[in-house]
Structure formats: C-alpha cells, structure tokens
Amino acid sequence: MSFLLAELDGQLARLVTYFGAPQSAVAAQLIQRAGYSSNLAGRVRKACLAAMLRKKSDEARRLRLQGIDTVARNLDLLSRLGRRAVDQAEKTRKIKLLRADTYVAPLTLVRKTVACIQEALDGQDSRLAVRIGQARGEIDTFHDRLFRTYTRDMAETKHTEDLAYALLALNEVSRMGEALEAISEALLSINIGQTVQFERYFTLRSVLAGVAGDEDDEISLKPLAETRSGSAISSVEMRDRKGRSVAAVFKDGDKRKVKEERVGVKSWNSVYPGLAPEILSYEKNGQSAALLIEHLDGETFEDIVLGGSDAALATAQKALHKTVRDIWRTTLTDEPAQMAAMEQLAKRMKDVIRLHPRLVPGAQTINGVLLPGLPALIDRAQAREAALPAPFSVYIHGDFNLDNVIYDPVAAKIRFIDLHRSRYMDYVQDVSVFMVSNYRLQVLDAATRARIAGVAVAMHEMAEKFARRQKDGTYHYRLALGLARSFASSTRFVVDADHARRMLLRARYILETALAVPEGREARFKLPVKDLFHD
C-alpha cells in the first residue's frame, strides 16, 4: 500500500505538470506508468484476499481487509482516470480550447488528498477520512463551472470536436472525486465497524448530536438488518454526556419510511405505552431521514422459535398472546375495518410472477375442466371480501413478522419494532401475517417444521377465542383470505422453488375453498388450519 501511494503521488505530480503546460513527452511518461500502479494495486488486493482465506477472521479484521481492498481498487482507478484524461486532452488540436491550466488546482487537490490516505488508514482518523471524501464536492464544483464554459464555447466556435475531447477529459477528472469518496467510505467503514456511505456517516453524526457526549469519540456500529425498502438498521455503541455507555439502534433511509416509523412509535406510546421503543433522536436531510431508537433487550421471536428451548418458547408465546389480547381489548373500537387482503395480493402478484413465473400458470383445462389462473381467483375473492368487513377495529402492528417481535425474558415483556405500518385495522391482518411468517421460514428438518407449525396454530387458536367472545362471525373467512394473501405474496421473498410452490399451492387451495362457500354462508366456513401448517 505504501508503494502504491508513492507511485500514485508520482503519477499525479506528472498529471499536474502536464495540465500546467501540456507536452506530449510528459503524457507519454504518464501513460508508460500504467503497469506500475495496476500491479501494486493487484498485489494489495491479492494480499487482502489471502489474509481473509488464511484464517478465520473476526468481523473487524474482515471489514478492515475489505476496506483496504476498496482503497487499493480506487487508487488504481485514480491512476487510470488520470491517464484517460491525458489521452483525451492529447486529441485536442487547438490546445487553447482545453483551458488546461484550470485543471491544475483540482488535480493538486486530488494529489494532496491522496497524500492523507496513509495517515487516515494507520491512525483510523475519521475526521481525516471525512476530509478525503469532501474533496469530491470541490471537484464537482470545478466540473460544473468548466462544463458551462465548454458548452458556451461550443456555441461560439467551429472546433466542436476539440471541445468534445475536452469534455471527455473533464469527465475523467470529475470521476476522481467519486473515487476519493469511495476511499473515504472505506476508511470510515473500517473505523466504525460497518459498511457506511459517505452521507450516511453525516446523518449518523447529526442524529447522535443530541445524545452522545464528546463528538470526537469514535462510534461503533454493528449491522442488524437491511429492510426490503432500502433502510439500514444498525446497533450503535457510544457514551452519553455523563460518560455512561449507551446502546441504541440507528435506522436511516427514505424520509417517508423513516417518518412513518417515527409516527408509528409515537402512536404506540400513546395507545399502549411501554410496547414500542423510545425515540432518542430524529433527523431529516433532503429525501432521507434517520432515527436513533432505544435499544431493546431480549431476542426476536424468530430466534426463540428456531433456537430457544421448548420452555423458553412456551413462556414467550404465553407473554405474546397475553400482550396481543390486551392490546386488542384496550384499543377496540366499533368502527368496521376492511383488510383488503385481495387488493394487497393483486398488487404484489407481478413481483411473485417475476420471481416464480413457472409456478403461477394461467388458466388451464384438464379433461375438459377449466381451472382458472390464480389472478382470476384473486379477482373473484376481492369482490367477496369487499362485502365482509371486520365488525370492529383494533390497533395493529401492521407488519407482524416474527423478527419484529422481541421478548425480554428478564423483564418477561413483549416489545414491538418496525412500526411504520401500524394503524387501526382488522386484527386478522396481524394474525395472518404472523402465522405465515412462521411457515415461510426456510428450515426443512421435520422437528423444527413441526415446532414452527405449532407456533402458527397457537396464534390462530388464541385469535379464534377472541373472535368468539366478540361475536365476530366471519373471522374464519377473513382469516382464509388473509392467509391466502400472505402465503402467495411471501413467495416474492422465497428463492427456493419447492418451498415457494408449497406456499402458492396453499394459497390456491384456500381461495378455491373459500370461493366454494355460497354467498351469505361465510359465517359457517372453517379452514383446516392445522393441516395447512403441517408439511
């Protein structure tokens, strides 16, 4: 790495010299150095790969090696961009139109910035790493200014070919800013313990400002999850203003999604205090936003189902059922609710078909009997569902998957996370989502599958008792539509074709069975839930 940085410094010095006074001899010297930087970068990357394969690395070591690999790759890119910029500049015949001397300042900045990389890497200096990334802003400003000049010149001269080559040279220099930002991100990722984008680092610093102590303290991040909507969730370790160790959860992403999460948390804390985590800080920046949320002790329900003892699972289930029943009783209103499960499924079928086109055939004829395609069944079920609203509303989670429920065995308490879809709605929405989030777990051994089925069925049995007490006559029919929706739509997250086929066949069976019930007789319908969840 030291040799690579030294070699690149020499190449950048020649690059500055060339644009200060363009000469073909200097350009040739620069182009002849191509193999040097490429070979050195290759040796660094090869060493990083060998170090990762040689012995089992902890996460910090693996991330550092990946970061060094990224730095080497982008240093080599800087070298290639410089050569390409000179190559395009050499093609201009009327050299005055290139305005070569204007390149000296940004290229000098690139050289000075590259000179900081070794110090930032060795000292794990985040402030210096940030300065490296900030060079992109100055290079972008240079690009925009010179781009306007070139395009203006194009309207005033016949030498458009020369200006076209000049624009290509400008583009290569502009991309140097992107390479420096990528190096900055790699250095910051090494320092905080998780892959991080340049802007995300500032968002993190901003959202921590009201909670953390000394802003010079290093932050430790550990990845927790990547949501399907693109948000990233990480655990954060820091010290508050009193020097105490603080653990929190940092979530950032699209502003609308993060704002919905914030609203959901606040709503739960007013509707059912103590269930949702506390919001420590919130920041928005353009189209993105970030939350710092209280860290919750305990395990996700998914971890308990897959790895906990039978006793631990039984205790957690008892706590969950008790909490859910209490929420339903506490928040129940007389306002009817329309789950619209079939409408949701219809919107998601394109994604299902895109991933599993062979598992969702259209209408078929077997021995003269017409079998409608799944989309046709969904359309028919949607019309039936519209006439069967839930007789009351309760406040629901809205995305009641196993990994959004946390149980703390010490406090014997259930907590909810990922609350951006919470609202007053048919409780069957949560019941069906929870049940299928069990089934779609891609674990194949018989004992674990039986355990998963038991958790799903137990949730149904608890909800069924609640429905009887509330005289909810169409619970079973609405549950069938909710399960059909969740079985089918969940396959867009299941790559295993066999598992996806089982889920889609269950969705089809449920819809065919529900549609066979005469209109007006829905209250007499019952689904064989145990059979559906046992493979």
Side-chain angles (χ1 to χ4, degrees):
M1 178 64 78
S2 297
F3 285 126
L4 174 58
L5 286 165
E7 171 62 28
L8 190 59
D9 181 69
Q11 292 185 21
L12 289 170
R14 284 189 177 89
L15 194 61
V16 172
T17 299
Y18 173 83
F19 278 96
Q23 294 181 20
S24 295
V26 177
Q29 291 174 0
L30 185 63
I31 291 169
Q32 287 168 6
R33 304 296 298 183
Y36 290 85
S37 54
S38 179
N39 289 340
L40 288 166
R43 288 171 64 184
V44 173
R45 300 187 67 193
K46 184 178 178 181
C48 288
L49 178 60
M52 282 190 278
L53 295 176
R54 188 164 51 246
K55 63 179 181 178
K56 189 175 182 180
S57 301
D58 60 27
E59 184 64 20
R61 176 179 167 81
R62 183 191 63 77
L63 193 63
R64 180 175 177 80
L65 290 168
Q66 285 183 342
I68 293 172
D69 177 271
T70 299
V71 171
R73 180 160 27 90
N74 281 280
L75 288 173
D76 184 40
L77 176 59
L78 284 170
S79 174
R80 285 185 280 117
L81 291 171
R83 293 194 300 274
R84 290 206 291 258
V86 167
D87 183 55
Q88 299 297 343
E90 280 289 286
K91 294 175 182 176
T92 58
R93 287 169 293 186
K94 197 172 182 61
I95 199 69
K96 185 179 179 181
L97 290 173
L98 181 63
R99 300 177 184 268
D101 59 318
T102 60
Y103 286 81
V104 172
L107 290 173
T108 300
L109 172 65
V110 172
R111 186 186 178 194
K112 288 181 178 178
T113 304
V114 169
C116 299
I117 292 173
Q118 188 78 62
E119 182 183 350
L121 182 60
D122 292 343
Q124 293 194 319
D125 189 331
S126 292
R127 286 197 168 191
L128 197 52
V130 167
R131 277 172 46 196
I132 291 168
Q134 287 172 330
R136 178 179 180 177
E138 295 184 47
I139 294 170
D140 284 348
T141 300
F142 159 74
H143 169 273
D144 294 345
R145 186 174 63 248
L146 192 53
F147 181 87
R148 288 193 295 270
T149 301
Y150 284 156
T151 51
R152 182 200 64 204
D153 290 350
M154 279 183 170
E156 299 173 354
T157 182
K158 296 179 180 179
H159 300 281
T160 53
E161 185 176 333
D162 284 345
L163 287 168
Y165 285 128
L167 280 169
L168 291 171
L170 175 63
N171 181 63
E172 304 298 351
V173 172
S174 174
R175 289 186 60 201
M176 288 183 172
E178 298 175 20
L180 290 173
E181 185 174 275
I183 290 170
S184 172
E185 290 175 347
L187 296 171
L188 289 171
S189 298
I190 292 171
N191 294 352
I192 67 176
Q194 183 189 346
T195 302
V196 65
Q197 292 179 331
F198 190 67
E199 290 301 324
R200 190 179 188 229
Y201 181 80
F202 289 101
T203 304
L204 174 61
R205 278 293 187 187
S206 178
V207 83
L208 291 179
V211 181
D214 188 349
E215 66 174 15
D216 290 332
D217 285 348
E218 288 298 327
I219 305 165
S220 176
L221 275 188
K222 292 182 181 178
L224 291 178
E226 293 285 342
T227 70
R228 297 184 182 96
S229 61
S231 297
I233 307 172
S234 311
S235 66
V236 185
E237 292 182 7
M238 58 188 173
R239 294 194 176 276
D240 65 13
R241 293 175 180 177
K242 295 183 179 179
R244 296 172 300 192
S245 179
V246 175
V249 173
F250 172 62
K251 181 174 184 178
D252 68 327
D254 177 74
K255 182 170 69 174
R256 181 177 63 85
K257 295 286 185 182
V258 176
K259 185 178 180 181
E260 288 173 352
E261 174 81 4
R262 184 187 183 213
V263 170
V265 170
K266 285 188 169 184
S267 297
W268 274 107
N269 284 331
S270 62
V271 169
Y272 198 88
L275 190 75
E278 179 186 351
I279 295 176
L280 304 177
S281 183
Y282 170 74
E283 289 288 334
K284 55 185 177 181
N285 180 22
Q287 295 304 308
S288 63
L291 277 174
L292 193 67
I293 308 172
E294 171 196 6
H295 179 270
L296 300 180
D297 294 323
E299 294 181 277
T300 67
F301 225 80
E302 180 176 327
D303 289 337
I304 297 170
V305 170
L306 294 179
S309 66
D310 290 343
L313 177 58
T315 302
Q317 277 185 278
K318 183 178 180 181
L320 176 61
H321 294 172
K322 180 180 178 183
T323 301
V324 170
R325 278 195 307 268
D326 193 45
I327 292 168
W328 292 345
R329 286 195 297 261
T330 303
T331 64
L332 190 147
T333 71
D334 292 334
E335 185 71 24
Q338 192 67 259
M339 179 169 56
M342 293 298 98
E343 181 182 339
Q344 295 170 32
L345 180 55
K347 291 177 181 178
R348 295 169 183 171
M349 282 307 295
K350 286 184 180 179
D351 292 330
V352 173
I353 294 169
R354 189 176 294 116
L355 186 59
H356 302 290
R358 296 182 180 179
L359 301 184
V360 191
Q364 295 175 297
T365 301
I366 301 176
N367 287 340
V369 178
L370 177 66
L371 267 68
L374 189 56
L377 294 175
I378 294 169
D379 286 343
R380 288 173 55 195
Q382 188 171 348
R384 293 284 294 268
E385 184 182 26
L388 295 170
F392 54 84
S393 302
V394 301
Y395 205 69
I396 67 165
H397 183 289
D399 192 15
F400 202 41
N401 291 299
L402 288 173
D403 54 359
N404 287 334
V405 180
I406 293 177
Y407 176 64
D408 181 359
V410 177
K413 191 172 184 180
I414 291 289
R415 306 290 294 275
F416 288 172
I417 60 172
D418 204 2
L419 301 165
H420 65 280
R421 294 179 181 169
S422 296
R423 63 203 185 281
Y424 276 94
M425 171 53 71
D426 184 351
Y427 63 105
V428 169
Q429 169 78 19
D430 271 0
V431 175
S432 58
V433 168
F434 181 88
M435 291 173 70
V436 175
S437 76
N438 278 272
Y439 187 89
R440 80 179 185 204
L441 292 173
Q442 296 182 59
V443 181
L444 300 179
D445 68 276
T448 306
R449 294 303 303 175
R451 192 180 208 211
I452 288 169
V455 174
V457 172
M459 174 60 73
H460 156 64
E461 291 173 345
M462 182 276 294
E464 185 183 39
K465 290 178 184 177
F466 178 81
R468 281 200 300 268
R469 292 192 189 100
Q470 301 301 324
K471 297 181 173 54
D472 180 3
T474 59
Y475 161 79
H476 282 276
Y477 200 89
R478 300 196 322 276
L479 177 66
L481 299 181
L483 290 175
R485 179 271 322 278
S486 294
F487 271 124
S489 65
S490 292
T491 60
R492 70 195 197 278
F493 307 128
V494 177
V495 176
D496 184 274
D498 290 335
H499 199 42
R501 182 181 292 107
R502 288 191 290 269
M503 296 173 73
L504 285 165
L505 286 173
R506 280 164 168 75
R508 184 180 184 93
Y509 165 77
I510 292 169
L511 290 177
E512 288 178 340
T513 306
L515 289 170
V517 175
E519 290 189 31
R521 305 281 294 274
E522 291 87 1
R524 301 182 65 177
F525 173 77
K526 263 198 173 183
L527 201 62
V529 172
K530 289 184 180 180
D531 293 333
L532 280 170
F533 282 84
H534 282 86
D535 291 316

